[in-house]
Amino acid sequence: MKAKEMFKALGYEYYEGEHSIRYIANCDMDDDYISIKFGLLSHTFYAQHNCNPNDITIDEFEAIQQQMKELGWI
C-alpha cells in the first residue's frame, strides 16, 4: 500500500508543495488539527497538533516509514 493510501485510511488529507509534503487530519477544524510534514530538501519530518509537537501512533509511524521509502530516504 502507498503512503498516501495509508494516511488517507488514518483520516489525513494530502497536500504537496514545492519543498514539502504535508498530511493533515481534521483540516476543516481551524483550531484542532494534526499535521505530519516532510521536508523534501532537508529529508526531515515532524508531527504537530495545533503547532505543538505531537506523539505519533504505530499506524502513523508505518505510514511515515512508507513515505520515506517512496521518497528514497530509506
Side-chain angles (χ1 to χ4, degrees), residues 10-57:
L10 296 171
Y12 285 85
E13 293 185 29
Y14 176 83
Y15 298 90
E16 186 171 353
E18 185 176 346
H19 302 292
S20 67
I21 292 173
R22 183 173 292 185
Y23 293 94
I24 302 175
N26 301 330
C27 60
D28 56 337
M29 301 172 67
D30 290 336
D31 56 349
D32 191 29
Y33 67 92
I34 299 168
S35 172
I36 299 175
K37 181 180 177 182
F38 295 85
L40 300 178
L41 299 178
S42 59
H43 292 201
T44 58
F45 77 91
Y46 65 87
Q48 65 180 18
H49 178 246
N50 299 334
C51 298
N52 296 307
N54 193 53
D55 295 335
I56 57 173
T57 66

